[in-house]
Amino acid sequence: MQTIHGYHRPADLEEALALLNRSDTPTVVIAGGTRVAAGLIQAGEVVDIQALADASISSADAHVSYGSLVRLQDLIDSEDTPALLAETAMREGPNTLRHTATVGGTVAGADAESELVAALLAHEATVTIARPDAQVDVPLDELLDDRSLLDGGIITAVTVDAGGETASARTGRTPADTSIVAAVGRVVPGGFRLALTGVGHHPLLIEQDDIERLDPPGDFRGSPAYRRELAAVLSKRVIAMLGGAV
Amino acid sequence: MKTTFTLNGTERTYECAPHESLRTVLRREGFFSVRFGAETGETGSAAVLFDGRLASAEVMLAAQADGHTIETIEGLNPPRGLHPIQQAFVDAGAVQSGYSIPAMILAAKALIASNPNPTEADARDALSGILDRETGYLRPVHAVLRAAAMLRGDEVSPVEPALIEPLVPLGGSPDMGAANSPLNLPPLAPRVIPSPEVPETNVVGKPERKVDAIKLAKGHPAFVDDIEMRGMIYAKMLYSPHAHARIVSIDDSAARALPGVHAVLHHGNVARVRYASGGQSYPNPQPYDQVSFDNKVRYVGDRVAVVAAETIEIAEEAVGLINVEYDVLPAVFDENEAISGNAPVIHDEPDMEGAHDAANNIVQHIGAEVGDFEAGLASADRTFERTFRVHQVQPTPIEPHIAIAWLDSDERLVIRTSTQVPFHVRRMVAPLLDLPVRDIRIVKPRIGGGFGVKQEMLIEDIVGHLALATGRPVRLELNREEEFISSRTRHPQTITFTSGVNNDGMLVAQRMRTVANTGPYGTHALTVQMVSGLRGLSTYNCPNKLFDCDVAYTNTPVAGAYRGYGAPQALFALEAHMEDIAAEMGMDALEFRRRNWTKVGDPLDVAAELGEGAAEMKFIPVVTSSGMDECVVQGQRAVGWQRRYDPAWLQPADRPHIRRGLGFAMCMHGSAISGLDMGGASLKINDDGSFNLLIGATDLGTGADTILAQMAAEVLGVSTADIIVYAADTDMTPFDVGAYASSTTYVSGMAVKKAADEVHRQIVTRAALMLDVETLGEIELKDGAAFAPDGRSVTLEEVALHSLHQDDQHQIMATASYVAPDSPPPYAAQFAEVEVDIETGQVTIENLVMAVDCGVPINPLTSAGQIEGGMVQALGYGHCEEMVLDESGAMVNARFGPYKIYRADEMPKIEAYLVQTMEKSGPFGAKAIAEIPKDGVAPAIRNAIFNATGVQIDNLPFTPERVWNALQTG
């Protein structure tokens, strides 16, 4: 049962942060709002940032910056978007969802099976978070490891290094199924930046040599041992596609 | 709070609560085309255009829409007729139940607006957010492309059947040369292989527009929930959190005290009346092991209590206030363990009726033997045995169960419900409510899919109890999670086939040992398993057959009817077993089957032992028509069967981890329950020469209303549009058992034909009077008129006016009913092409081809749609759908996504062929078609994986880890 009993649409960031940081009212931020409206995230009150957040995409110095309110479909359709981000954003869900869900919401949700989040890791994403006292840039991998960095803050932008050849591989029950495990990779100076879904509580940056030490959680779609096997197989494929030795 | 947005071009301001979805508000304001499918939004049935983009109104707060532009299909609808996109969907045969069609049409509109020249991939993506359990997506996808062409101003051809030359001449051998030459046919054209035995017809056999096309394509109010009832209150169920427990006490005082609550019902205040919930003919098969509310719960999702309140939110809050004390008992989930003698007893209540051995959780034991199995096996040159396990799945109609009940002005109880069996529901609900049948009216409006799960009295007793208790209209709609956990599922089974085969490839003995899992209630337990035995042991000839089946009570969700009704389980095991035997004997898999499959004139001897109507069967039925040979060859050509023998194709050089394979499965089903299923029809003429056809048959979206109208039109020499169909209202229409057992075309169709024949006789009599013709047989009805041999004619309008107003007045009308003495089997050949990733176990289905002999398809367009949609449901069964329970018996994936059904953007190629035969016992030569598409996909995939990898997998579904494990050990 959805429990939302208050809706706010602040006009500016300051007001939004004030609403979000009230001590007496459990409040969550919504951008697309699909998971909150579905009851998948329980919220007492919601702060809808559609009036204040940035929905633009900008490109400079081989970096692309996405306002937090950029819809996934807009990310896909942008000529500035690196191919891996477009490909993985397509896999976040069907078009009904992609027209609503946002870049900021996807990063904030950090679903363990999100290939887009994995691709952002591969693209060295930095997350800009506005807080009542400051605005900070946090590397996405650090944010995923320490979710408290987002407490009381609002994601305003996500910036990626757009360069580098990329590749991906995945295994699912059906072609459009959420992958049981997916691997994405990107060529960076001196090697590869490899990220995996389905092997941890959030998408992970990983070194190839560390795969055997993974301890993935299992579910009915894949046991821990099977996921570890997939991680090895799919990572090898990605690296091979990128011209690396396996 | 208020939300203001531009809705279909007009700025509107509505009240809304902060938690309310945009769908809720739109429906409250009368925009009924925005329909519920899942509280988490995955079905897309509530999709609207949000600032011109397709978005789910289910998972968008109404408040979020403030300041935006919303478009629903009501904004697209012309005052009369259809928008070109709607026309394209209708022409393409993309409309079945129509529940989600408004969303699909909006998806098409948005796509075409941004891209007037979409590709098939674009169309698939446009529909990717709208789940469809009915069409298989092929027709909707191509309807989008057709709509784009129409809006570009391109000329589009009518969707007509592609007539294909038979490859098997009557009494001859297949033309295998032609079979290796692929056809290139338009995707929307129904593929029909005509039979020279079929006479020419004018309406029957034509791709007529569905009679309900307008209301469905335009999203008009047509479904259960599409009405406004003043004073309606809302019901919410409390379900058991335990798999097995006694209810020690229920304290409902806090719930009752909550303002806005009108009733709280549970075992303490509802009469204990035993029943079986399966919607079946009188007397319902035993056991009678359910009551409306019990003092014991037997699965996670079992009924505990229900609340009716002013709003759904109050009802939900009240449910949370009911304090139930449980004595939790040990539970058992596996069917074999349940009947081992060491399992907890699930039904220990003294008043339970009709279980075979309740103390050992055996609800039914079914045995049937033809010949002498043991002797036959002993005589066989070779013997084979293999055990298979099939799993639990949910039908998941996009419209979940919903019912609204109220007392009319005569204080009779009206239940408007999404059911396949309105007449059974009326009879079955009466004793539970302590009402005579005459005081109950069941109304079935349009239904958003059923697939068997609505062949059940699932919630009608609850809304009946509440309406009687409160005097108010009461609405109960299951949400998606509730539909998963508390409705009905396909029976899991453990099946062991043992076969004796002589060296010449002839079966001489076959035994099917089945242990089935019905969950804690035996609804359909007897008859589903009987059909399993029937299909498992009558598809192939064999002189010595034995069916040995136990049906187990367990604490899993309840099994029941699901399209296919026991056949998909049996045919998975049978067709895997037959494939393996052929491989072990070094025989061609098709030739081995061909030697053994039933042919015209062969007896279906097990049918006299198994089946609901077996007791009434006066003779052993024989096969009277079969197009199996033609089906196989057509399917071989379509799928490219010769590649199965090409090593370079089986192992593509550029992808070393991929193996390819092709698989086959034979399918055989039935057409109704012979001697038992009855359909009725009433037909009367109107002043203008049109006709009202009143039928009890229940169109679930299959097109049943349309094909029945076509049959009437054919007899009367009019067009389908001259037949106005009203269906399935227990006060208004003749009795019909309802939509199940593939009976509507064959049984209800014959009832319609009989009624039409009598109306034809009355029209001819009147026309002869008007034309002064003495010999009635000389009058011919065609083109809406009655013609004398000399060419003079009177229109049917003139006939109607004459008979109703002018001379010897008489209402031309007739009522007829029909019970089929036989159940002629449709046959089919199912083919599958797969790719297997041998490093990960991932199986990708590339192509599904099914060629079906359904006799004469009354409407090739709807028939093709039935096959395509059924194949895709069957694909889910074999490939990715499964209900997963945790150790406590709770379903862990009661949501679309985790419970995976196919989307439009991931569909393999699918193709359906209609092989005509003339089944003389059926109306216009028809047999059934609705269920057979469910039977062959899983075994065809299994056999294709075997072909690709050499690994035989005997459990469903073929999920990556299961296949990977098999590859490691195989």
Side-chain angles (χ1 to χ4, degrees):
Chain A
M1 185 170 70
Q2 185 48 266
T3 56
I4 298 168
H5 52 79
Y7 172 90
H8 307 274
R9 191 187 293 186
D12 57 49
L13 200 53
E14 186 178 8
E15 182 187 355
L17 289 166
L19 286 163
L20 187 61
N21 285 281
R22 293 172 295 171
S23 59
D24 57 344
T25 308
T27 305
V28 300
V29 173
I30 62 169
T34 51
R35 281 180 295 181
V36 171
L40 300 175
I41 297 172
Q42 292 299 305
E45 296 192 1
V46 296
V47 175
D48 184 347
I49 60 171
Q50 65 171 278
L52 60 93
D54 183 8
S56 68
I57 300 171
S58 57
S59 176
D61 300 329
H63 285 70
V64 181
S65 186
Y66 299 93
S68 64
L69 208 61
V70 168
R71 310 284 173 182
L72 296 186
Q73 190 63 47
D74 291 330
L75 176 149
I76 293 163
D77 293 340
S78 170
E79 292 181 355
D80 292 328
T81 295
L84 182 65
L85 293 187
E87 175 196 338
T88 54
M90 279 291 285
R91 300 189 57 81
E92 284 296 300
N95 66 341
T96 42
L97 178 84
R98 299 195 310 267
H99 289 147
T100 316
T102 63
V103 172
T106 303
V107 169
D111 191 293
E113 295 173 325
S114 170
E115 290 188 44
L116 177 57
V117 173
L120 289 168
L121 283 171
H123 273 282
E124 301 173 60
T126 300
V127 182
T128 304
I129 302 172
R131 296 190 185 126
D133 53 344
Q135 177 167 297
V136 296
D137 291 331
V138 180
L140 176 58
D141 54 332
E142 290 182 22
L143 177 63
L144 295 177
D145 285 339
D146 182 2
R147 302 303 306 281
S148 69
L149 293 170
L150 193 55
D151 288 349
I154 295 173
I155 294 172
T156 59
V158 178
T159 303
V160 298
D161 184 334
E165 189 182 348
T166 57
S168 65
R170 58 188 57 81
T171 295
R173 292 171 294 183
T174 67
D177 189 22
T178 302
S179 298
I180 300 166
V181 173
V184 299
R186 174 170 161 262
V187 176
V188 294
F192 307 100
R193 196 170 163 92
L194 185 67
L196 296 172
T197 72
V199 294
H201 297 294
H202 58 71
L204 294 175
L205 269 181
I206 193 158
E207 299 293 333
Q208 193 180 0
D209 293 343
D210 292 337
I211 288 173
E212 287 187 3
R213 287 189 287 279
L214 282 171
D215 184 21
D219 70 0
F220 68 94
R221 296 186 310 137
S223 66
Y226 177 62
R227 286 172 186 268
R228 196 178 306 114
E229 175 70 17
L230 287 182
V233 169
L234 298 174
S235 298
K236 282 180 186 171
R237 287 185 187 174
V238 165
I239 290 169
M241 282 187 268
L242 295 174
V246 293
Chain B
M1 63 181 296
K2 294 186 186 315
T3 182
T4 299
F5 46 80
T6 301
L7 176 60
N8 297 330
T10 304
E11 187 172 287
R12 310 264 189 185
T13 299
Y14 298 120
E15 285 288 338
C16 69
H19 70 274
E20 284 186 315
S21 70
L22 179 59
R23 179 193 67 85
T24 299
V25 171
L26 289 172
R27 287 192 65 82
R28 188 162 63 219
E29 299 301 329
F31 294 86
F32 290 122
S33 68
V34 188
R35 298 190 171 113
F36 176 74
E39 56 277 14
T40 41
E42 295 89 355
T43 68
S45 54
V48 299
L49 297 187
F50 181 79
D51 294 337
R53 298 167 149 213
L54 195 72
S56 173
E58 200 81 74
V59 287
M60 180 183 294
L61 300 176
Q64 287 180 274
D66 187 88
H68 293 274
T69 298
I70 307 295
E71 185 172 353
T72 69
I73 203 155
E74 286 85 352
L76 187 77
N77 286 339
R80 287 183 66 81
L82 296 171
H83 183 279
I85 301 176
Q86 294 166 327
Q87 189 68 54
F89 271 71
V90 171
D91 291 346
V95 180
Q96 289 199 17
S97 86
Y99 192 74
S100 301
I101 282 296
M104 287 190 176
I105 289 169
L106 291 173
K109 181 174 188 284
L111 172 65
I112 295 167
S114 63
N115 178 4
N117 272 297
T119 63
E120 180 177 334
D122 295 331
R124 283 169 168 248
D125 182 58
L127 299 178
S128 64
I130 303 163
L131 296 181
D132 185 349
R133 291 295 266 177
E134 300 160 11
T135 68
Y137 300 108
L138 183 148
R139 292 180 186 280
V141 165
H142 286 278
V144 173
L145 302 179
R146 184 179 178 87
M150 290 167 68
L151 291 171
R152 289 194 304 266
D154 296 352
E155 191 170 331
V156 294
S157 303
V159 178
E160 297 284 356
L163 301 181
I164 300 166
E165 283 291 315
L167 295 171
V168 183
L170 277 177
S173 301
D175 180 354
M176 295 311 295
N180 291 333
S181 307
L183 300 172
N184 183 19
L185 302 169
L188 286 174
R191 286 97 164 101
V192 178
I193 296 86
S195 163
E197 296 181 288
V198 177
E200 185 67 26
T201 48
N202 295 313
V203 185
V204 160
K206 311 298 183 197
E208 296 284 289
R209 182 170 102 168
K210 278 185 59 145
V211 297
D212 47 6
I214 290 282
K215 68 164 78 78
L216 299 178
K218 298 181 82 168
H220 288 331
F223 294 86
V224 171
D225 202 27
D226 297 348
I227 59 168
E228 294 175 338
M229 299 290 295
R230 182 158 293 197
M232 188 164 74
I233 58 178
Y234 297 83
K236 188 70 180 175
M237 296 291 297
L238 173 62
Y239 295 107
S240 170
H242 302 295
H244 198 193
R246 293 189 196 286
I247 296 175
V248 177
S249 64
I250 294 181
D251 179 358
D252 63 5
S253 56
R256 287 183 178 280
L258 189 69
V261 170
H262 288 264
V264 183
L265 302 182
H266 45 73
H267 78 88
N269 54 18
V270 172
R272 185 178 179 87
V273 180
R274 283 281 164 196
Y275 71 99
S277 60
Q280 297 180 277
S281 288
Y282 174 85
N284 287 62
Q286 290 184 325
Y288 303 147
D289 55 6
Q290 298 174 71
V291 294
S292 286
F293 294 99
D294 207 345
N295 57 8
K296 189 181 183 191
V297 290
R298 298 178 179 86
Y299 72 106
V300 177
D302 207 350
R303 298 171 170 191
V304 175
V306 66
V307 171
E310 286 291 331
T311 67
I312 190 66
E313 290 84 1
I314 295 172
E316 287 174 345
E317 184 179 353
V319 162
L321 294 173
I322 299 172
N323 186 15
V324 184
E325 183 184 351
Y326 297 97
D327 176 15
V328 178
L329 302 169
V332 59
F333 306 111
D334 176 82
E335 61 269 16
N336 295 293
E337 187 183 340
I339 63 171
S340 66
N342 299 310
V345 178
I346 293 168
H347 282 279
D348 52 2
E349 66 276 22
D351 57 345
M352 199 268 274
E353 299 173 36
H356 174 74
D357 180 4
N360 285 298
N361 294 324
I362 301 174
V363 57
Q364 300 283 358
H365 175 76
I366 308 164
E369 185 163 18
V370 171
D372 183 334
F373 166 74
E374 291 296 345
L377 193 70
S379 75
D381 293 333
R382 300 188 63 177
T383 60
F384 303 88
E385 183 169 282
R386 202 164 182 104
T387 296
F388 304 87
R389 176 70 175 35
V390 293
H391 62 311
Q392 190 163 33
V393 293
Q394 225 271 337
T396 66
I398 301 302
E399 177 200 42
H401 282 82
I402 179 169
I404 300 172
W406 67 92
L407 294 170
D408 70 11
S409 54
D410 292 317
E411 299 188 346
R412 296 172 71 234
L413 181 69
V414 182
I415 304 177
R416 179 180 163 98
T417 179
S418 186
T419 181
Q420 297 173 220
V421 285
F423 286 90
H424 290 336
V425 165
R426 179 177 64 168
R427 187 190 79 249
M428 292 161 59
V429 80
L432 275 63
L433 303 176
D434 195 23
L435 289 176
V437 166
R438 72 174 67 89
D439 279 352
I440 301 171
R441 176 184 177 191
I442 307 293
V443 179
K444 181 230 63 129
R446 305 321 297 171
I447 297 178
F451 318 118
V453 77
K454 294 173 181 173
Q455 191 199 341
E456 196 84 4
M457 189 191 66
L458 192 78
I459 59 173
E460 289 86 353
D461 61 319
I462 293 173
V463 291
H465 283 304
L466 289 170
L468 293 170
T470 64
R472 298 275 290 270
V474 180
R475 171 186 178 275
L476 174 59
E477 179 182 54
L478 302 190
N479 66 26
R480 184 54 56 185
E481 181 182 13
E482 292 168 334
E483 182 73 23
F484 270 117
I485 68 168
S486 74
S487 70
R488 299 294 182 255
T489 66
R490 190 181 296 291
H491 289 79
Q493 293 179 350
T494 304
I495 305 168
T496 302
F497 265 102
T498 307
S499 297
V501 187
N502 281 344
N503 288 332
D504 61 0
M506 301 304 293
L507 284 168
V508 293
Q510 196 157 56
R511 178 178 63 203
M512 182 181 177
R513 164 66 182 162
T514 299
V515 181
N517 183 340
T518 190
Y521 302 112
T523 170
H524 297 279
L526 174 67
T527 44
V528 163
Q529 271 58 238
M530 277 184 159
V531 171
S532 275
L534 180 61
R535 296 296 154 233
L537 292 174
S538 63
T539 303
Y540 295 100
N541 288 316
C542 182
N544 304 291
K545 304 172 185 174
L546 177 64
F547 183 55
D548 175 22
C549 174
D550 287 312
V551 187
Y553 280 132
T554 69
N555 297 111
T556 64
V558 186
Y562 183 10
R563 190 178 185 183
Y565 206 77
Q569 297 98 313
L571 285 174
F572 170 68
L574 176 65
E575 285 302 278
H577 183 55
M578 294 294 281
E579 184 83 8
D580 295 352
I581 293 173
E584 286 197 43
M585 294 187 69
M587 294 185 66
D588 177 81
L590 293 184
E591 179 54 29
F592 172 58
R593 289 178 173 90
R594 187 179 282 114
R595 289 185 190 183
N596 289 285
W597 70 46
T598 49
K599 304 169 182 68
V600 172
D602 287 339
L604 302 173
D605 41 20
V606 180
E609 305 281 332
L610 297 169
E612 245 184 298
E616 288 74 27
M617 195 167 283
K618 304 294 192 298
F619 55 91
I620 293 176
V622 297
V623 177
T624 47
S625 59
S626 171
M628 192 62 206
D629 287 318
E630 185 71 44
C631 288
V632 169
V633 184
Q634 292 288 346
Q636 283 181 285
R637 171 164 66 182
V639 82
W641 185 251
Q642 75 280 2
R643 294 177 299 168
R644 186 175 154 102
Y645 309 105
D646 177 1
W649 181 79
L650 291 166
Q651 294 190 29
D654 57 338
R655 291 181 297 160
H657 57 284
I658 292 297
R659 299 290 182 273
R660 290 176 175 144
L662 289 164
F664 167 81
M666 179 186 178
C667 310
M668 174 194 183
H669 218 93
S671 302
I673 304 169
S674 56
L676 188 65
D677 283 351
M678 198 274 269
S682 180
L683 190 64
K684 72 178 177 67
I685 199 167
N686 295 315
D687 293 55
D688 63 349
S690 66
F691 298 86
N692 291 113
L693 174 62
L694 308 181
I695 45 177
T698 309
D699 189 336
L700 313 179
T702 55
D705 287 357
T706 303
I707 61 112
L708 295 177
Q710 285 180 256
M711 292 187 200
E714 182 69 39
V715 173
L716 298 170
V718 298
S719 70
T720 306
D722 292 317
I723 309 295
I724 304 153
V725 181
Y726 182 73
D729 176 334
T730 57
D731 268 12
M732 303 293 181
T733 63
F735 176 87
D736 191 293
V737 291
Y740 60 89
S742 295
S743 64
T744 302
T745 302
Y746 188 70
V747 171
S748 309
M750 194 60 93
V752 169
K753 184 173 182 302
K754 284 177 66 181
D757 284 339
E758 171 56 20
V759 168
H760 180 284
R761 189 193 65 77
Q762 294 177 27
I763 291 172
V764 166
T765 302
R766 175 67 56 164
L769 178 70
M770 297 168 71
L771 293 167
D772 196 22
V773 173
E774 290 188 359
T775 307
L776 299 184
E778 294 178 346
I779 301 284
E780 183 183 8
L781 302 190
K782 62 180 182 181
D783 301 330
F787 286 84
D790 58 7
R792 291 176 301 122
S793 68
V794 288
T795 67
L796 295 196
E797 180 179 15
E798 291 167 329
V799 169
L801 292 171
H802 191 267
S803 70
L804 292 171
H805 301 281
Q806 292 176 302
D807 185 25
D808 190 19
Q809 284 90 329
H810 164 67
Q811 169 67 66
I812 292 175
M813 64 184 298
T815 296
S817 58
Y818 183 71
V819 180
D822 207 346
S823 178
Y827 285 92
Q830 176 72 61
F831 293 86
E833 176 186 339
V834 305
E835 286 191 358
V836 183
D837 185 328
I838 59 170
E839 292 180 346
T840 67
Q842 178 177 274
V843 175
T844 305
I845 316 302
E846 298 291 332
N847 192 7
L848 295 175
V849 173
M850 189 176 212
V852 181
D853 153 29
C854 63
V856 175
I858 302 300
N859 185 323
L861 199 56
T862 59
S863 297
Q866 285 291 295
I867 300 170
E868 292 150 5
M871 266 199 289
V872 176
Q873 275 191 337
L875 171 61
Y877 181 58
H879 193 208
C880 55
E881 294 181 34
E882 57 181 328
M883 296 176 69
V884 182
L885 308 183
D886 66 15
E887 291 178 352
S888 73
M891 186 177 172
V892 302
N893 61 335
R895 180 188 158 202
F896 287 127
Y899 187 94
K900 176 63 189 173
I901 70 174
Y902 264 78
R903 297 183 348 203
D905 59 342
E906 59 183 335
M907 277 296 302
K909 181 184 177 191
I910 59 172
E911 202 172 8
Y913 286 79
L914 297 159
V915 173
Q916 275 193 354
T917 58
M918 184 66 197
E919 172 53 50
K920 292 189 169 57
S921 70
F924 302 98
K927 296 189 280 190
I929 195 161
E931 294 185 274
I932 197 168
K934 294 300 295 286
D935 293 349
V937 174
I941 294 173
R942 186 263 191 197
N943 295 339
I945 295 170
F946 180 34
N947 176 229
T949 66
V951 170
Q952 298 151 313
I953 305 176
D954 299 332
N955 293 13
L956 292 176
F958 301 118
T959 46
E961 186 168 10
R962 170 167 290 129
V963 175
W964 183 77
N965 281 329
L967 288 164
Q968 306 312 302
T969 57

